[in-house]
Amino acid sequence: MNQSPSPTPASSGPNQQPFSSHFMSKYVQPAVSDRDFRNVEYRLHNRRSVALYRCSRDFATPSTPKPDFMLRLHLNKFPAQHEVNYGGGWLKRMPDSYVLAPPNVDSRVRGNLQNHFTSLILVFPETELRQVAGELLDAEGKHLWQPPSKELHDTSISTLMRQLWESSCSSAPAESVLIEGTFISLVGRLLLSGQQKRLAIPKYESSASLITSKALNYMQDRLSEKLTLEEIAKAAGVSRSYLIRVFAQATGKSVHARLIELRIERAKQLLIQYGRNMTLDQVALACGFWDGTHLTRSFFEHVGITPQQFRENS
């Protein structure tokens, strides 16, 4: 069996270690001893009590109840040959379909259990859902606790899940903001999944410019730091979900995208001002990038040339 190394338990914050220990014991350890699993990779996010894992299996088995929400995305390009029931109905894993299983439900399986299938799974506790959704959870999110009666298709859910997976493997400073923003957006889509009609898009708030200005000033003053979305929202005096909405309304961009632009702009200033008196690693650290390689990759994506070429042309 090809087993990827188990993740290092998260250690930041008083509530992180218990979830990490719980996840390791309830999710990782059973898979380690399960010979039907192949190529299992786990990723924990240090700043949030969320975890992802991607696994391939050749044999479907029922699962015991877990105390967390489990969002499963079927990655195969063909339907699975078995069906799963989380208490609400029999579900056949169709390509790019997802299922949200609430806490403390078990699953049953039927059909051809010996078939290959691959899943991307997000696990998170109820506390994370409540922290993000706030009062909306009681008003609009009651359906999230219902056993799934059908599998769903939503390109946004699929895209956000894949984006979470890709960004969770990076330790770059800006990725933490991206992960938090993506998770908040994902919770928003899950809340909408139970609506007969989409929730009305709020009108442009009159305070959006002031909130956005505070967020931008906070980021501008701390470009060398490992900023989180929570810190930026707190500086702007609003919640993370509210900041994401008004920031996009005011700028047409996400907080993460604008943060990267600010870091690139600062890098340009340093390259022009100090030339070869600063190494690319020094410029990178001063602008919040992980190292010179990370700076070069992001710089090229946004500017079209490398920092070295920019410095030579300046």
Side-chain angles (χ1 to χ4, degrees), residues 256-287:
H256 173 260
R258 187 64 184 121
L259 178 58
I260 294 297
E261 289 181 349
L262 291 174
R263 296 188 193 279
I264 296 294
E265 291 169 9
R266 176 66 61 82
K268 287 181 178 180
Q269 295 171 359
L270 294 177
L271 290 169
I272 294 173
Q273 183 175 356
Y274 293 99
R276 295 184 178 277
N277 291 326
M278 286 187 73
T279 66
L280 289 185
D281 281 339
Q282 290 173 328
V283 173
L285 293 177
C287 300

Side-chain angles (χ1 to χ4, degrees), residues 40-88:
V40 186
E41 183 178 357
Y42 295 87
R43 296 177 183 176
L44 288 170
H45 180 41
N46 289 338
R47 289 188 177 272
R48 299 200 66 89
S49 294
V50 299
L52 297 102
Y53 58 105
R54 188 180 190 277
C55 63
S56 295
R57 298 191 68 179
D58 288 324
F59 193 86
T61 57
S63 65
T64 57
K66 304 293 192 301
D68 308 300
F69 282 93
M70 182 188 71
L71 180 62
R72 180 191 296 271
L73 179 68
H74 184 57
L75 298 181
N76 284 27
K77 295 183 179 180
F78 49 85
Q81 298 178 38
H82 67 281
E83 294 178 306
V84 184
N85 191 314
Y86 294 97

Side-chain angles (χ1 to χ4, degrees), residues 17 24 27 61 72 99 116 129 159 170 183 245 249-250 285:
Q17 186 62 34
M24 295 288 285
Y27 292 90
T61 57
R72 180 191 296 271
V99 171
H116 179 75
L129 183 62
T159 299
S170 173
F183 181 71
R245 185 171 71 236
Q249 289 175 339
L285 293 177

Side-chain angles (χ1 to χ4, degrees), residues 187-255:
V187 169
R189 293 299 302 185
L190 292 174
L191 289 172
L192 285 174
S193 66
Q195 301 298 314
Q196 296 297 326
K197 296 181 180 180
R198 293 191 174 184
L199 298 177
I201 299 176
K203 294 183 179 180
Y204 182 84
E205 288 86 352
S206 59
S207 59
S209 295
L210 177 60
I211 294 171
T212 301
S213 178
K214 289 181 179 180
L216 287 172
N217 289 336
Y218 184 84
M219 291 189 288
Q220 187 75 62
D221 293 339
R222 295 167 176 79
L223 290 179
S224 63
E225 301 177 15
K226 297 182 179 180
L227 300 177
T228 67
L229 188 63
E230 182 176 4
E231 293 169 344
I232 299 171
K234 184 177 180 180
V238 295
S239 67
R240 290 168 298 178
S241 56
Y242 191 82
L243 175 63
I244 289 175
R245 185 171 71 236
V246 299
F247 196 94
Q249 289 175 339
T251 68
K253 299 176 181 178
S254 68
V255 178

Side-chain angles (χ1 to χ4, degrees), residues 34-159:
D34 187 343
R35 295 183 179 181
D36 295 320
F37 276 84
R38 303 189 309 173
N39 302 320
V40 186
E41 183 178 357
Y42 295 87
R43 296 177 183 176
L44 288 170
H45 180 41
N46 289 338
R47 289 188 177 272
R48 299 200 66 89
S49 294
V50 299
L52 297 102
Y53 58 105
R54 188 180 190 277
C55 63
S56 295
R57 298 191 68 179
D58 288 324
F59 193 86
T61 57
S63 65
T64 57
K66 304 293 192 301
D68 308 300
F69 282 93
M70 182 188 71
L71 180 62
R72 180 191 296 271
L73 179 68
H74 184 57
L75 298 181
N76 284 27
K77 295 183 179 180
F78 49 85
Q81 298 178 38
H82 67 281
E83 294 178 306
V84 184
N85 191 314
Y86 294 97
W90 289 102
L91 314 172
K92 190 164 187 177
R93 302 184 188 200
M94 302 299 291
D96 230 28
S97 67
Y98 77 89
V99 171
L100 177 67
N104 301 315
V105 299
D106 56 5
S107 72
R108 294 172 291 159
V109 293
R110 71 181 185 185
N112 181 8
L113 306 186
Q114 297 184 4
N115 66 115
H116 179 75
F117 54 97
T118 303
S119 301
L120 178 58
I121 301 169
L122 172 67
V123 176
F124 56 93
E126 180 182 335
T127 53
E128 286 293 335
L129 183 62
R130 289 195 174 278
Q131 185 180 13
V132 173
E135 296 180 357
L136 276 178
L137 193 59
D138 294 325
E140 311 289 355
K142 296 180 180 179
H143 64 284
L144 299 181
W145 272 268
Q146 299 298 319
S149 59
K150 61 180 180 180
E151 52 196 336
L152 303 174
H153 290 81
D154 186 327
T155 55
S156 294
I157 293 290
S158 175
T159 299

